Amino acid sequence: MYIYNGFVSSRKGNNARNHGFDVEDDVSGIHDVKLYTYRELKTATEDFSQHNKIGEGGFGSVHKGRLKDGKLAAIKVLSAESRQGVKEFLTEIEVISKIEHENLVKLYGCCVEGNHRILVYNYLENNSLAQTLLGGGHAYSSIQFSWQTRYKICVGVARGLAFLHEEVQPYIVHRDIKASNILLDRDLTPKISDFGLAKLIPSNMTHVSTRVAGTIGYLAPEYAIRGQLTRKADIYSFGVLLVEIVSGRCNTNTRLPAGEQYLLERTWHFYERKELIGLVDSSMNGDFDAEEACRFLKIGLLCTQDAPKLRPTMSTVVKMLTGEIEVYDSRITKPGLITDFMDLKVRGPQKTSKLHSSDSDNTTSSSYNLPSTSEKLDGSTMFSDSAAATMSTFTSPYDQSINLPKGIPVNGLVLISLRT
């Protein structure tokens, strides 16, 4: 059975009534997506058994299952209590059901039955980069991340993003490019996942103003400060990810000495000293193309430059990675850094109705990977929209997803600026 013409007949459950939204209205606009019954998915996962559970995120759990046609699937179950999660669920279907690319996860279908909101994806055997390469997972992974494998992953993610940014209309800004949202199939082909925070932007618009959502450490400073979203925000996030893949470490590690905690800052210092080779992951035991690895790190710096207009497009990034376009040192300027978040304060969602506009977004995102080694923020962070805000520091754990309401005064709790 398929959803056609944007409407699925579904009864409203108690939870839907309590939250004051109509399930039938919420699923309107969805079409050409295979619709599974809850019974089918319950059977596929052996009653959503614990031993089939392969991940858990901010909005529910993910189970491995075998569908009636024999295909293995990753079945992402949205928590019935989450209103924000329903919004993420619908956004994810709207975005990913319309597009297909080798480097994007494939949506098989969904379940919209009673209070059940479930996404069914192709199952990817090798989990996420956060689990296998970063965040402590590398030591326990059987995957050998050779330079050839890292090259393939970097180029694949870049091609997937270039497709979203330049080959579909309206173009798509993912907003949460990070290691835990890059999944790996059996052949270690990377797949960009979790489109719950994505924004579709018409080509005639230069940007959209929106509540800030994403993950600390990957957020482009100009987006974090002003809430103006462009493709350049994704490009910044990709630059951080690129440096992580080459170096084999996550972007923030507060257990390291003070001068080594923030990867992007450290990369700039190595670049200034012409010692980028010292940043390459030592686990490869020197078995890599030094010139290529340093070129990738320089591309990471180009992508994370302070001025968004200086960052290359993703199609240009692909050509730089593959050597079709030269990378010139003269074009590399200092990265935009938000490195200090002193006394980070977290609070629950605001009760003021003005804060929950139609443009509101989700606090965390959950692809079907195992949880990362970091914790998640489960509320909104106090934030200032002023570009004149002053500097503070990231003390938060790696891979914290956040959702920052627009226009809330700082009140001395979180102060942010660009370091130039």
Side-chain angles (χ1 to χ4, degrees):
M1 180 162 54
Y2 288 82
I3 305 174
Y4 285 112
N5 301 321
F7 191 83
V8 176
S9 176
S10 175
R11 64 180 177 84
K12 290 191 290 184
N14 291 333
N15 187 63
R17 293 192 195 98
N18 291 340
H19 283 292
F21 65 92
D22 192 317
V23 174
E24 292 179 351
D25 288 343
D26 277 343
V27 298
S28 65
I30 302 171
H31 51 85
D32 297 340
V33 176
K34 183 174 175 60
L35 184 63
Y36 293 92
T37 66
Y38 182 72
R39 178 176 290 183
E40 279 182 275
L41 300 184
K42 188 176 178 181
T43 300
T45 58
E46 298 176 333
D47 200 10
F48 300 98
S49 66
Q50 193 66 28
H51 81 87
N52 278 325
K53 191 173 184 178
I54 56 174
E56 190 157 16
F59 291 104
S61 58
V62 188
H63 291 75
K64 179 180 176 181
R66 189 173 292 278
L67 304 175
K68 286 195 298 186
D69 61 6
K71 288 182 181 176
L72 283 176
I75 298 170
K76 180 176 174 180
V77 183
L78 177 70
S79 169
E81 285 72 36
S82 174
R83 176 64 182 96
Q84 284 186 313
V86 171
K87 186 176 180 68
E88 182 190 52
F89 171 85
L90 293 166
T91 299
E92 193 155 356
I93 294 175
E94 179 186 10
V95 172
I96 198 65
S97 65
K98 298 175 181 177
I99 56 177
E100 190 167 340
H101 187 273
E102 180 188 9
N103 298 115
L104 306 179
V105 291
K106 181 177 177 59
L107 181 70
Y108 286 159
C110 67
C111 172
V112 186
E113 188 178 304
N115 283 343
H116 301 299
R117 302 291 172 269
I118 304 173
L119 292 168
V120 183
Y121 279 106
N122 60 318
Y123 176 71
L124 299 176
E125 293 84 351
N126 283 311
N127 219 281
S128 75
L129 280 177
Q131 286 298 310
T132 53
L133 178 60
L134 310 177
H138 194 195
Y140 306 102
S141 171
S142 60
I143 300 172
Q144 297 300 310
F145 282 95
S146 65
W147 176 247
Q148 290 76 14
T149 296
R150 295 176 202 234
Y151 178 98
K152 175 182 178 179
I153 291 169
C154 293
V155 173
V157 176
R159 284 179 171 149
L161 261 184
F163 175 78
L164 296 174
H165 285 187
E166 302 170 36
E167 297 181 41
V168 296
Q169 289 295 333
Y171 67 82
I172 297 166
V173 179
H174 185 280
R175 285 210 297 172
D176 205 16
I177 294 297
K178 59 182 179 181
S180 58
N181 281 341
I182 306 301
L183 307 181
L184 304 172
D185 71 6
R186 180 178 299 174
D187 300 319
L188 301 181
T189 299
K191 311 281 185 179
I192 299 171
S193 71
D194 206 328
F195 288 79
L197 298 181
K199 285 287 184 184
L200 285 73
I201 303 178
S203 56
N204 63 339
M205 295 180 67
T206 58
H207 69 273
V208 295
S209 294
T210 179
R211 289 173 68 174
V212 178
T215 300
I216 292 174
Y218 296 94
L219 278 178
E222 78 284 349
Y223 171 49
I225 290 170
R226 292 186 292 275
Q228 292 188 342
L229 180 67
T230 71
R231 286 171 280 201
K232 300 293 187 176
D234 274 356
I235 293 167
Y236 182 96
S237 302
F238 174 79
V240 175
L241 177 67
L242 183 57
V243 176
E244 288 183 319
I245 293 170
V246 175
S247 66
R249 57 156 285 191
C250 61
N251 63 72
T252 306
N253 186 345
T254 54
R255 291 188 290 266
L256 293 174
E260 302 177 16
Q261 292 180 359
Y262 306 109
L263 181 58
L264 200 54
E265 191 171 31
R266 186 165 167 79
T267 304
W268 177 252
H269 292 156
F270 271 71
Y271 172 73
E272 285 189 305
R273 299 198 302 264
K274 303 185 185 303
E275 298 175 356
L276 278 177
I277 194 71
L279 204 64
V280 179
D281 193 347
S282 60
S283 72
M284 289 187 285
N285 298 315
D287 186 14
F288 59 89
D289 185 321
E291 183 180 345
E292 206 165 55
C294 289
R295 184 174 80 240
F296 276 37
L297 291 171
K298 289 177 183 179
I299 296 168
L301 288 172
L302 282 170
C303 291
T304 54
Q305 292 178 101
D306 187 1
K309 66 182 180 181
L310 296 179
R311 299 171 200 159
T313 63
M314 284 310 305
S315 58
T316 299
V317 169
V318 171
K319 291 177 181 177
M320 287 179 171
L321 290 170
T322 57
E324 297 174 60
I325 292 180
E326 191 75 27
V327 178
Y328 294 103
D329 283 20
S330 60
R331 295 182 182 174
I332 301 175
T333 61
K334 285 185 179 180
L337 301 174
I338 307 178
T339 54
D340 274 343
F341 267 71
M342 303 294 290
D343 301 321
L344 188 67
K345 301 292 183 180
V346 180
R347 68 179 183 182
Q350 302 299 308
K351 293 183 180 179
T352 307
S353 59
K354 290 181 181 178
L355 296 180
H356 297 282
S357 66
S358 60
D359 204 21
S360 64
D361 298 297
N362 309 303
T363 308
T364 59
S365 54
S366 57
S367 32
Y368 63 84
N369 48 301
L370 290 165
S372 71
T373 55
S374 61
E375 300 171 6
K376 291 282 186 180
L377 293 183
D378 57 5
S380 298
T381 304
M382 299 288 282
F383 190 81
S384 170
D385 275 330
S386 169
T390 54
M391 167 96 82
S392 85
T393 318
F394 274 131
T395 54
S396 357
Y398 169 66
D399 196 28
Q400 286 193 327
S401 296
I402 59 175
N403 184 13
L404 306 177
K406 291 171 65 180
I408 299 178
V410 174
N411 293 335
L413 293 180
V414 178
L415 301 172
I416 303 174
S417 79
L418 301 182
R419 176 182 295 172
T420 56

